[in-house]
Structures are given as structure tokens and as C-alpha cells.
Amino acid sequence: MTSASLLNNWPHRWFGYFSQSGYVATKLPSLDEVTDPGWTPADRAKLCDYLKRAPVTVTSFERDHKCSLCGAEIGNPTAHQSDGLWLWPLCLPHFVEFHSVRLPDSLVARIRGQRYRIPCNLDIDHASLEWPPS
């Protein structure tokens, strides 16, 4: 399956959680499955800025990690951000900006529909968020 077909029809409200190479028992996509160097939207910087500005909704104490692809600091791997509807890890903007990870079309539509602004006064019900499988 190509990244375009996978992400055109992404059925979840979470994104950015990837299976480790060679580990097929998970329902998470691999990083390779969502990488698309041809995906270059004109508003990529605004999309990433939205992802970066969303509040951290859940975290635990863990040391910051480095990106396995480039060695850059990507933050706490247990930190999750949300705009009240979608959920993603703190490191997702890094993978979009620097490693050609394509966002699901429905997430892009959500961000554009919000005019790149995080909803005000978020009262996030963590139980109502769709979490990726563990």
C-alpha cells in the first residue's frame, strides 16, 4: 500500500505512532509506509506549526530522545499533543518537516478548517480520544 492510499483513507483520529522496523505484530504503520517525499503542500510550515502549538495532553517523566534517522532531539517520547479531536506524539512535526512523513488527508483538512489555529479553551476528555493500539 502506498502512503497516499493509506493516508487518503486513514480511519483514525491519531497519527504519528509508528511500528519499529521488523516488528509486524503491531497495527501501527511503519515509518516507511507514511513517508512520501513527493508530498510537498505549500502550507507545510503552517501545518507543522499547528502540530507544535497544540497543548501536551498526557506525558510522563522520561528523558528526551533523539531521532533514529538524524540524531536531532525530538523530545519526550511519552508526550502526546491534541487539538481536542486528534492525538499525536510530540515528535510528529519533526518527522513531517525533516523526514517527509505525510499527514493523513483528514488531519490536514482539520487543520486547514481550523485556519491553522488551535481551538481555544480546550477541555480535553482523555477518555474520548482515540488512542493507538499498544
Side-chain angles (χ1 to χ4, degrees):
M1 182 177 290
T2 67
S3 66
S5 61
L6 174 66
L7 299 173
N8 286 339
N9 302 303
W10 186 253
H12 309 290
R13 293 286 184 213
W14 55 264
F15 186 72
Y17 304 91
F18 310 117
S19 65
Q20 299 210 345
S21 179
Y23 186 67
V24 286
T26 181
K27 295 181 181 181
L28 299 174
S30 71
L31 195 54
D32 289 340
E33 289 177 291
V34 296
T35 298
D36 183 357
W39 186 70
T40 56
D43 60 347
R44 181 187 294 207
K46 289 181 178 182
L47 295 169
C48 286
D49 187 54
Y50 180 95
L51 296 172
K52 290 175 187 177
R53 287 184 294 106
V56 171
T57 61
V58 176
T59 192
S60 66
F61 179 74
E62 190 165 327
R63 291 185 179 170
D64 288 352
H65 282 207
K66 293 183 185 260
C67 175
S68 62
L69 301 174
C70 69
E73 290 285 336
I74 57 173
N76 182 336
T78 67
H80 309 281
Q81 293 176 272
S82 179
D83 65 0
L85 181 63
W86 279 82
L87 180 76
W88 59 90
L90 185 70
C91 63
L92 180 58
H94 172 82
F95 286 99
V96 174
E97 275 185 281
F98 300 105
H99 302 298
S100 301
V101 165
R102 178 181 172 161
L103 295 173
D105 292 351
S106 51
L107 176 54
V108 171
R110 162 76 172 171
I111 296 171
R112 288 175 178 159
Q114 292 293 119
R115 297 183 190 165
Y116 310 99
R117 293 185 303 237
I118 300 295
C120 296
N121 302 319
L122 283 177
D123 185 18
I124 298 171
D125 176 12
H126 295 92
S128 71
L129 291 173
E130 181 187 359
W131 290 80
S134 40

